[in-house]
Amino acid sequence: MEYLSGETLVYITRTLRARGEAVPAAIACRIGAEVAAGLHCAHTATDPAGNPQPIVHRDVTPSNLIVCFNGAVKIVDFGVAKATLHEGHTRGGVKGKMSYLAPEQLHDKPIDGRTDVFQLGICLHEFLTGNRLFKGSNDQQRAVAVLEQHIPAPSELDPELPKVLDEVVLWALERDPARRPAP
């Protein structure tokens, strides 16, 4: 296993928040692009013969994103990841953190790379705004928030953010997977 010298996005955002600061938009975009590239590799994985073997992480959260001191961004903890070629449903209940689950996970519907895209959208929204997107005092309230809460454009919460980012983030946060970017 590779040793990663860096910090989680949870640590970075909490530290900045304690200082009254947020992750700069350009850095949030760079982190998002690096995570998207890593997820693309998992979503388009193949076996040695070249046959598709897509892997869905299912737990893309700030605690599973590491920014290394050399600038590299890594996705960690593939512990709940799933190969989706032959089976897209989750067995044994919901996997992942409630505030970061995609609607299809909550409804126990088939998952694919677009599930990770939704989760990355949540992370990007939070990186850009410095605020938790789906809140609740218990798992049921957080699940309802994921399924029904109005999702504000990042620039609604921080007018200094470029509006072009709204389109990207809100596209990733489409509740219907068919309307999200495909891996």
Side-chain angles (χ1 to χ4, degrees):
M1 184 180 327
E2 177 183 8
Y3 172 75
L4 301 177
S5 180
E7 299 291 352
T8 67
L9 254 293
V10 169
Y11 176 83
I12 293 167
T13 54
R14 281 185 186 158
T15 301
L16 288 171
R17 192 174 301 131
R19 294 180 189 168
E21 301 174 28
V23 177
I27 292 173
C29 291
R30 164 83 193 286
I31 291 168
E34 294 288 324
V35 173
L39 291 172
H40 179 74
C41 287
H43 299 158
T44 59
T46 60
D47 66 15
N51 300 310
Q53 296 293 317
I55 299 168
V56 179
H57 188 283
R58 302 193 299 172
D59 195 21
V60 179
T61 63
S63 61
N64 287 333
L65 303 177
I66 307 286
V67 178
C68 298
F69 294 129
N70 67 3
V73 179
K74 304 285 185 168
I75 307 164
V76 299
D77 194 2
F78 275 76
V80 297
K82 156 180 224 69
T84 60
L85 185 62
H86 301 294
E87 178 191 339
H89 283 83
T90 299
R91 283 192 190 152
V94 173
K95 309 285 188 209
K97 296 167 192 74
M98 196 62 67
S99 294
Y100 293 90
L101 295 178
E104 59 271 23
Q105 290 173 290
L106 291 167
H107 288 303
D108 197 27
K109 291 187 176 176
I111 62 168
D112 61 23
R114 295 171 295 184
T115 301
D116 289 343
V117 169
F118 187 87
Q119 293 176 335
L120 176 56
I122 296 170
C123 293
L124 277 172
H125 194 285
E126 293 179 355
F127 299 162
L128 291 166
T129 66
N131 297 306
R132 194 73 175 280
L133 182 56
F134 298 119
K135 301 177 214 166
S137 59
N138 58 47
D139 280 348
Q140 182 179 4
Q141 289 179 358
R142 287 186 284 274
V144 169
V146 169
L147 296 172
E148 299 176 3
Q149 171 188 301
H150 166 70
I151 300 173
S155 68
E156 286 178 42
L157 301 175
D158 182 352
E160 293 183 22
L161 289 171
K163 292 207 182 292
V164 69
L165 296 178
D166 294 344
E167 184 179 332
V168 173
V169 172
L170 294 177
W171 186 25
L173 290 171
E174 284 285 349
R175 287 190 167 102
D176 177 359
R179 297 182 58 152
R180 280 182 224 139

